[in-house]
Amino acid sequence: VILTLKEIADKTGAEIVGDPEKTITGVSSFEDADSGELTFASDPKFLKRMDQTRAGAIFVPPEVVVPESGGPDLLIIDNPRLHFFRILALFHPLQGPMPGISPKATLGEGVRVGRDVAIFPGVFVGDGTLIGDGVSLMPGTYLGQNTVIGNGTMIKPNVTIMENSRIGKRVIIHSGTVIGSDGFGFTQDISRHEKIPHAGFVQIDDDVEIGAGNTIDRGTFGRTWIKEGVKTDNLVHIAHNVVVGRHTLLVAQVGIAGSSSLGDNVIVAGKAGISGHLKVGDNAIVGPGAGVLHDVPPGKIVSGMPQMDHKIWLKVGNIIPRLPEMRKKLLALEKKFERFRKN
Amino acid sequence: VILTLKEIADKTGAEIVGDPEKTITGVSSFEDADSGELTFASDPKFLKRMDQTRAGAIFVPPEVVVPESGGPDLLIIDNPRLHFFRILALFHPLQGPMPGISPKATLGEGVRVGRDVAIFPGVFVGDGTLIGDGVSLMPGTYLGQNTVIGNGTMIKPNVTIMENSRIGKRVIIHSGTVIGSDGFGFTQDISRHEKIPHAGFVQIDDDVEIGAGNTIDRGTFGRTWIKEGVKTDNLVHIAHNVVVGRHTLLVAQVGIAGSSSLGDNVIVAGKAGISGHLKVGDNAIVGPGAGVLHDVPPGKIVSGMPQMDHKIWLKVGNIIPRLPEMRKKLLALEKKFERFRKN
Amino acid sequence: VILTLKEIADKTGAEIVGDPEKTITGVSSFEDADSGELTFASDPKFLKRMDQTRAGAIFVPPEVVVPESGGPDLLIIDNPRLHFFRILALFHPLQGPMPGISPKATLGEGVRVGRDVAIFPGVFVGDGTLIGDGVSLMPGTYLGQNTVIGNGTMIKPNVTIMENSRIGKRVIIHSGTVIGSDGFGFTQDISRHEKIPHAGFVQIDDDVEIGAGNTIDRGTFGRTWIKEGVKTDNLVHIAHNVVVGRHTLLVAQVGIAGSSSLGDNVIVAGKAGISGHLKVGDNAIVGPGAGVLHDVPPGKIVSGMPQMDHKIWLKVGNIIPRLPEMRKKLLALEKKFERFRKN
């Protein structure tokens, strides 16, 4: 792919300060870009030292101070980062070519497949499953019976999607992830745990991206539901009948126990855990490693274990390492007071 | 599957209050069940509002107050939940049909296979492995050499079971799980870590269920041993030479370090970690996110990091967010005392 | 494999106290070894009770007190543990036979393969990938396009290695692990998270061992870099553009957020988390479950959440369970003081 600055400006609406016919052959970071490459600067620390990148051109925000002479050509636009990554996507397309259905894949009875798909060797598709247009199923992927995969969805290698799952459009699921495993539910018969068959399913809506090594259990009844635009990082666990609201972010190694429900635009930071049967409101934020044991109201920021207001947690975090000193102070004060009282 | 109330009563021993010839075509939750479906109520909150389910029939405990008129037909029995899920299992069998051995599977030399098995495409079975009657090996599963899989065991897609593993009867292993990986053990040669070959194996006893994305390492010597009836949730890590006692439950994202030993009927809640070479006694409970750094006596409940008695942890959890206030109080008291003493 | 004590002494430089012609047919632990087996004792607790092992021979350090009569034959050497495991490796070779390239594997265009390899059924190798001499790719492994696998590297079953990854020599990667998944990075367009294409790659240097179920993301630009001799345990998460220094150890369930950099010979204990864009110096140690939120200087030992000096953490850990008592003391002292002042 080769683009001129003019072509990049036409695609994004940027204003050019420089040579519209200059050609760009790749994209890179501020530090690493060379004279044929495009980069971006939105952070003031980069905007101050624009003479230090060797990039051929640079997306910058309107408030930039254009250097009197020299430096890279500029592409002035709101949200340089966003537009930079959109141009990057032209150089690094997510999808490779769509080679059709490999004879080394196994398709069950009644499977229906859309146009322009890539079904690689070693893929197994269960009976009655529907695969939309432009879907990519990479090697080693398993789809159970009666699953639905929406148009433009990409399933990376060695993903497991169990029966009756419903996956939306333009979804990306990274390798090693398991969708629709049985929930962790048992009934007690005297001293034994007897398995509960899990009759529900997993529903993943449009434009969701699921990281590598996630486990998302099916509902006991009904669905475990990952709504539109949700993004999960790696090694995230989502239990049976959890609902994750629109555009919510779950960072690496988060765990959410059964039947809890998260609102829209929630952020759960890395390694946090959320107990079962709780509600986390819209726009709430859960701090890294937090242990959420009761509901979180909308817009609230909580941290710590057990959870508390994040501002309190910041103070608590300062005090915890001073607990030994605080204890000494208390014991000393006690003694001083007793001595004083006796005299 | 269609069952009459009489057939359900015959299978369970329930007493019918209603029409024995009524037909049931499915099962569902209290809220979602419709007039052809069976549900159950054991919780008082459901028992109080039995007129609010549209279910055709409902398992209830003997202490139920039978409504004067209307409401669903009743099936009166001890432990309604248990019997409900047993009937559910008739509608949602765990095993699909057993199609035999796929020509797209690869079986090594000296592999012996029992009757009535399902070995799907993409399965690899190493030399000398024994596969019992009624075993299901789903697509993408790997079994190393000289492994034993007991009767009625189900291995879900994309599971890896390394050489010499011994898996019992009626075991279920969910997708993405790895059994028998090498333990994390090295010897130090000057500044390098030199690999210890792991000569041991993993033994999993009858009626165990292992969740998705687990990692269970083989012993350095001898076995890592998961005893009868154990259930693990997703993303659980069990290191080399760990012993997990009978009917113990390990919730999601738990980690157990090398050579630790858990008793029978232990519960380890989500995200808890147990250090190496420790003993956790029978019937002990480890709270969510707890960090167990020394032995836990039988029957004891511990929480927190580092671990403490759970009752103390509940108090501590209340005090931690009030530490800033407590510190202020202490400093204020110190000042007041000094001022008082000087006067 | 059968070895005489003389052969073992020749391979290791040990001094024999006993019969050089005695034959050894296996190795085992101090407790389990029988009369045909070799074991080792370096710990004083074993050295004191050498008459209690049934082993045929035993590696011991030079400071051993040779028993007057009886007991096993001795092989005297510095670092008995290291030499024991080297002999163990002769009895339990890591690699099986190298059967060449299975016709059930799929190799893309332009793939080049070295000598003496094992490429098992169900392996998929993308276009342009280079596979060195003596490489083993076990069943279900996926290698993306333009990947490089160095000589003597072993990839266990069901591993996923995405495009452009560079894997060194004598590397071991355990099952279920995902290398080169996209990082967790998005740009914000009004209320939606827009995917950042990840243009970078993962580089793993020589003699690294990666545990089971790890997830190692590719760089956004440039590389995520695991340097020589690093060892990771199971279920470890390493985000985009992280650098892990030489011979560093990452214990199970550790997570490292984007762009953080760890020095050489660092140890990160189980379940610890390291935030993004931080530096952890050479020889630093991070305690189990610690939450690292700012840089760790070289050689420093930190624990706790938030991180603190490990020695302080030991004291803090003792005080936390006594917080309820400390609070009581404080309130009582306050009262006593007020009463005293009033009188």
Side-chain angles (χ1 to χ4, degrees):
Chain A
V1 183
I2 298 180
L3 295 172
T4 64
L5 294 195
K6 185 166 180 315
E7 288 169 323
I8 294 172
D10 288 350
K11 282 173 195 297
T12 56
E15 180 194 336
I16 304 173
V17 178
D19 172 13
E21 297 311 318
K22 183 184 269 190
T23 53
I24 294 297
T25 58
V27 293
S28 194
S29 65
F30 192 87
E31 276 91 359
D32 295 340
D34 68 31
S35 63
E37 289 181 320
L38 173 71
T39 190
F40 77 103
S42 43
D43 203 282
K45 76 173 171 181
F46 292 122
L47 288 171
K48 274 182 200 150
R49 36 187 276 253
M50 287 202 311
D51 52 333
Q52 289 170 36
T53 181
R54 285 159 294 136
I58 180 163
F59 272 123
V60 289
E63 63 269 26
V64 74
V65 181
V66 179
E68 301 239 336
S69 71
D73 288 357
L74 303 181
L75 291 158
I76 299 174
I77 196 160
D78 284 323
N79 204 344
R81 180 180 153 88
L82 174 68
H83 291 286
F84 169 76
F85 280 107
R86 285 186 177 166
I87 296 301
L88 190 158
L90 300 177
F91 288 95
H92 296 273
L94 289 178
Q95 285 276 21
M98 301 304 256
I101 302 176
S102 165
K104 292 182 182 172
T106 303
L107 272 63
E109 289 176 23
V111 171
R112 281 189 286 161
V113 178
R115 280 177 294 182
D116 203 24
V117 300
I119 302 184
F120 281 88
V123 169
F124 182 97
V125 181
D127 296 347
T129 283
L130 306 181
I131 296 169
D133 296 341
V135 165
S136 182
L137 304 178
M138 293 186 74
T141 285
Y142 172 88
L143 302 185
Q145 305 98 285
N146 301 316
T147 289
V148 178
I149 309 287
N151 294 343
T153 282
M154 167 172 262
I155 314 290
K156 301 272 183 169
N158 290 327
V159 166
T160 302
I161 300 180
M162 300 303 292
E163 68 273 15
N164 301 320
S165 297
R166 300 177 193 174
I167 313 293
K169 294 171 186 155
R170 299 172 302 279
V171 170
I172 300 172
I173 302 180
H174 287 282
S175 295
T177 283
V178 178
I179 310 278
S181 36
D182 289 350
F184 191 64
F186 304 93
T187 56
Q188 200 73 24
D189 181 18
I190 310 167
S191 73
R192 301 179 65 84
H193 309 290
E194 192 165 312
K195 183 175 178 61
I196 292 179
H198 280 71
F201 61 97
V202 174
Q203 176 177 333
I204 294 181
D205 290 346
D206 297 345
D207 298 306
V208 166
E209 182 166 353
I210 303 290
N214 282 217
T215 58
I216 305 181
D217 285 344
R218 63 179 53 242
T220 309
F221 299 108
R223 62 190 164 187
T224 302
W225 189 9
I226 315 296
K227 293 189 183 174
E228 190 196 336
V230 166
K231 311 289 179 185
T232 76
D233 200 344
N234 296 339
L235 296 174
V236 168
H237 165 66
I238 299 176
H240 63 90
N241 295 100
V242 164
V243 177
V244 182
R246 296 167 65 243
H247 307 299
T248 280
L249 300 178
L250 305 179
V251 182
Q253 296 178 316
V254 158
I256 304 176
S259 300
S260 277
S261 161
L262 278 64
D264 294 349
N265 298 302
V266 170
I267 298 173
V268 185
K271 286 185 174 284
I274 297 177
S275 279
H277 297 274
L278 298 182
K279 280 194 194 318
V280 178
D282 293 346
N283 304 300
I285 297 177
V286 176
V292 174
L293 302 175
H294 38 267
D295 289 353
V296 181
K300 180 104 179 172
I301 308 179
V302 298
S303 289
M305 166 74 175
Q307 88 209 64
M308 61 194 82
D309 186 281
H310 180 68
K311 283 181 194 157
I312 292 176
W313 168 245
L314 289 177
K315 289 182 193 166
V316 167
N318 272 325
I319 291 174
I320 286 176
R322 289 145 82 191
L323 279 176
E325 168 214 323
M326 198 169 141
R327 188 179 158 82
K328 261 191 203 160
K329 234 186 231 299
L330 174 62
L331 298 182
L333 185 60
E334 222 177 10
K335 262 192 197 155
K336 273 194 280 185
F337 172 71
E338 282 308 319
R339 219 181 301 133
F340 181 76
R341 196 172 64 166
K342 276 177 190 155
N343 293 347
Chain B
V1 183
I2 297 180
L3 295 172
T4 63
L5 293 195
K6 183 164 183 316
E7 287 168 323
I8 294 171
D10 288 350
K11 283 174 194 296
T12 56
E15 178 195 337
I16 304 172
V17 178
D19 173 11
E21 296 311 317
K22 183 184 270 191
T23 55
I24 294 297
T25 60
V27 293
S28 195
S29 65
F30 192 87
E31 275 92 358
D32 295 340
D34 69 31
S35 63
E37 289 181 321
L38 173 70
T39 190
F40 76 103
S42 43
D43 204 282
K45 77 173 170 180
F46 291 121
L47 288 171
K48 274 182 199 152
R49 38 188 275 253
M50 285 203 313
D51 52 334
Q52 289 170 35
T53 181
R54 284 158 295 135
I58 182 164
F59 271 122
V60 290
E63 62 269 28
V64 73
V65 180
V66 180
E68 302 240 335
S69 70
D73 287 358
L74 303 182
L75 291 158
I76 299 174
I77 196 160
D78 284 323
N79 204 344
R81 180 179 153 89
L82 173 69
H83 290 285
F84 169 76
F85 281 106
R86 285 185 177 168
I87 296 300
L88 190 158
L90 300 177
F91 288 95
H92 296 273
L94 288 178
Q95 286 277 21
M98 300 305 255
I101 303 175
S102 165
K104 293 182 180 174
T106 303
L107 272 63
E109 289 176 24
V111 170
R112 282 189 284 162
V113 178
R115 279 178 293 183
D116 205 22
V117 300
I119 302 184
F120 282 90
V123 168
F124 183 97
V125 181
D127 298 347
T129 283
L130 306 181
I131 296 169
D133 296 341
V135 166
S136 182
L137 303 177
M138 294 188 71
T141 284
Y142 172 88
L143 301 186
Q145 306 96 285
N146 301 316
T147 289
V148 178
I149 309 286
N151 294 344
T153 283
M154 167 172 264
I155 314 290
K156 301 273 183 168
N158 291 325
V159 167
T160 303
I161 300 180
M162 300 304 291
E163 68 273 16
N164 302 322
S165 298
R166 302 179 192 172
I167 313 293
K169 294 173 187 154
R170 298 171 303 278
V171 170
I172 300 172
I173 302 181
H174 288 281
S175 294
T177 283
V178 178
I179 309 277
S181 37
D182 288 349
F184 192 63
F186 305 93
T187 55
Q188 200 73 25
D189 181 16
I190 309 168
S191 73
R192 302 181 63 85
H193 309 290
E194 192 166 312
K195 183 176 178 61
I196 292 180
H198 280 70
F201 62 96
V202 174
Q203 175 176 333
I204 294 181
D205 290 346
D206 297 346
D207 298 307
V208 167
E209 181 166 354
I210 303 290
N214 282 218
T215 58
I216 305 181
D217 285 345
R218 64 179 52 241
T220 309
F221 298 108
R223 62 192 165 186
T224 302
W225 189 8
I226 314 295
K227 293 189 183 173
E228 190 195 339
V230 167
K231 312 289 179 182
T232 77
D233 199 345
N234 296 338
L235 296 174
V236 168
H237 165 66
I238 299 176
H240 63 91
N241 295 100
V242 164
V243 177
V244 181
R246 295 167 67 243
H247 308 299
T248 281
L249 300 177
L250 306 179
V251 182
Q253 298 178 315
V254 158
I256 304 176
S259 300
S260 278
S261 161
L262 279 63
D264 294 350
N265 297 303
V266 170
I267 298 174
V268 185
K271 286 186 174 285
I274 296 176
S275 279
H277 297 274
L278 297 182
K279 281 197 192 316
V280 177
D282 292 347
N283 303 302
I285 297 178
V286 176
V292 174
L293 303 175
H294 36 266
D295 289 354
V296 181
K300 180 105 179 172
I301 308 180
V302 298
S303 290
M305 165 73 176
Q307 90 211 60
M308 61 195 83
D309 186 282
H310 181 68
K311 283 181 195 157
I312 292 177
W313 168 246
L314 290 177
K315 289 183 194 167
V316 166
N318 273 327
I319 291 175
I320 286 177
R322 289 146 81 192
L323 277 176
E325 168 213 322
M326 198 169 141
R327 188 179 158 81
K328 262 191 204 161
K329 233 188 234 297
L330 174 62
L331 297 182
L333 184 61
E334 220 177 12
K335 262 191 198 155
K336 274 195 279 186
F337 173 71
E338 283 306 320
R339 217 182 301 132
F340 181 76
R341 196 172 61 164
K342 276 177 190 154
N343 292 346
Chain C
V1 182
I2 297 180
L3 296 172
T4 63
L5 292 194
K6 184 162 183 318
E7 287 169 322
I8 294 172
D10 288 349
K11 282 173 196 295
T12 55
E15 179 195 336
I16 305 173
V17 178
D19 172 11
E21 297 312 317
K22 183 184 269 192
T23 54
I24 294 298
T25 59
V27 293
S28 193
S29 65
F30 192 88
E31 274 93 357
D32 295 340
D34 68 31
S35 62
E37 290 180 321
L38 173 70
T39 190
F40 77 103
S42 43
D43 205 281
K45 76 172 170 180
F46 291 122
L47 288 171
K48 274 182 201 152
R49 38 189 276 255
M50 286 203 311
D51 52 333
Q52 289 170 37
T53 181
R54 284 159 294 136
I58 182 162
F59 272 123
V60 289
E63 64 267 27
V64 74
V65 180
V66 180
E68 303 240 335
S69 71
D73 288 357
L74 303 182
L75 291 158
I76 299 175
I77 197 160
D78 284 321
N79 204 343
R81 180 179 154 89
L82 174 68
H83 291 284
F84 170 76
F85 280 107
R86 286 185 177 165
I87 296 300
L88 189 157
L90 301 177
F91 288 96
H92 295 273
L94 288 177
Q95 287 277 20
M98 301 305 256
I101 304 175
S102 165
K104 291 182 182 173
T106 303
L107 271 64
E109 289 176 24
V111 170
R112 282 189 284 162
V113 178
R115 280 176 293 183
D116 203 22
V117 300
I119 302 183
F120 282 88
V123 168
F124 183 97
V125 181
D127 297 347
T129 283
L130 306 181
I131 296 169
D133 296 341
V135 166
S136 182
L137 304 177
M138 294 186 72
T141 285
Y142 172 87
L143 301 186
Q145 306 98 284
N146 301 315
T147 288
V148 178
I149 308 287
N151 295 343
T153 283
M154 166 172 263
I155 314 290
K156 300 272 184 169
N158 290 325
V159 167
T160 303
I161 300 180
M162 299 304 291
E163 67 274 16
N164 303 320
S165 297
R166 299 177 194 175
I167 312 293
K169 294 171 187 156
R170 296 171 304 276
V171 170
I172 300 171
I173 301 180
H174 287 280
S175 293
T177 283
V178 178
I179 310 277
S181 37
D182 289 350
F184 192 63
F186 304 93
T187 56
Q188 199 71 24
D189 181 17
I190 310 168
S191 74
R192 302 180 64 85
H193 308 290
E194 193 165 312
K195 182 175 178 60
I196 292 179
H198 279 71
F201 62 97
V202 173
Q203 176 177 332
I204 294 181
D205 290 346
D206 297 345
D207 298 307
V208 167
E209 181 165 354
I210 303 290
N214 282 218
T215 59
I216 304 181
D217 285 345
R218 62 180 52 241
T220 309
F221 299 108
R223 61 192 164 187
T224 302
W225 190 7
I226 314 296
K227 292 189 184 175
E228 190 195 337
V230 167
K231 312 288 179 185
T232 76
D233 200 344
N234 296 339
L235 296 174
V236 168
H237 164 66
I238 299 176
H240 63 90
N241 295 100
V242 164
V243 177
V244 182
R246 296 166 67 241
H247 307 300
T248 281
L249 299 178
L250 305 179
V251 182
Q253 297 178 316
V254 158
I256 304 176
S259 300
S260 277
S261 161
L262 279 64
D264 294 349
N265 296 304
V266 170
I267 298 172
V268 184
K271 286 185 174 284
I274 297 177
S275 280
H277 297 274
L278 298 181
K279 280 195 194 317
V280 177
D282 293 346
N283 303 301
I285 297 177
V286 176
V292 174
L293 302 175
H294 38 267
D295 289 354
V296 181
K300 180 105 178 171
I301 307 179
V302 298
S303 289
M305 167 73 175
Q307 89 211 61
M308 62 194 82
D309 187 281
H310 181 68
K311 282 180 195 159
I312 292 176
W313 168 245
L314 289 177
K315 289 182 193 167
V316 167
N318 272 326
I319 291 174
I320 286 176
R322 289 145 81 192
L323 279 176
E325 167 214 323
M326 197 169 141
R327 188 179 157 82
K328 261 191 204 159
K329 235 186 231 297
L330 174 62
L331 298 182
L333 184 60
E334 222 176 11
K335 261 191 198 154
K336 273 195 279 185
F337 173 70
E338 282 308 318
R339 217 180 302 129
F340 181 76
R341 196 172 61 166
K342 276 175 191 153
N343 292 346

